[in-house]
Amino acid sequence: MNERPHEGPLPPAYPVAGGRPPLPDGDRMPCPPRPSPVSRREYVSGVAVAVVVLVLLLVGILGWGRAGW
């Protein structure tokens, strides 16, 4: 590893939003972007799909879908 010559104080280190703390020499660690929060539309559609799946599961287990009860 090639060391850089000492030419005085190290450059300042600034944080990267959502990333790891910077290294003492000012380098920044790459990090993946943060996932966006779940929107209300995604949350409601997920709950609706879960309810439909549970209802179909109950219908299949209880046998309500057959012709003769």
Side-chain angles (χ1 to χ4, degrees), residues 18-48:
R20 296 173 57 185
L23 299 174
D25 64 355
D27 286 342
R28 290 164 181 82
M29 300 296 293
C31 60
R34 289 184 178 176
S36 60
V38 179
S39 66
R40 182 175 292 179
R41 175 180 279 178
E42 291 173 330
Y43 184 77
V44 169
S45 63
V47 169

Side-chain angles (χ1 to χ4, degrees), residues 1-6 25 27:
M1 183 170 133
N2 294 332
E3 295 285 334
R4 66 180 181 180
H6 179 69
D25 64 355
D27 286 342

Side-chain angles (χ1 to χ4, degrees), residues 42-64:
E42 291 173 330
Y43 184 77
V44 169
S45 63
V47 169
V49 168
V51 168
V52 168
V53 168
L54 289 175
V55 167
L56 291 175
L57 183 68
L58 283 174
V59 166
I61 289 175
L62 297 176
W64 291 341

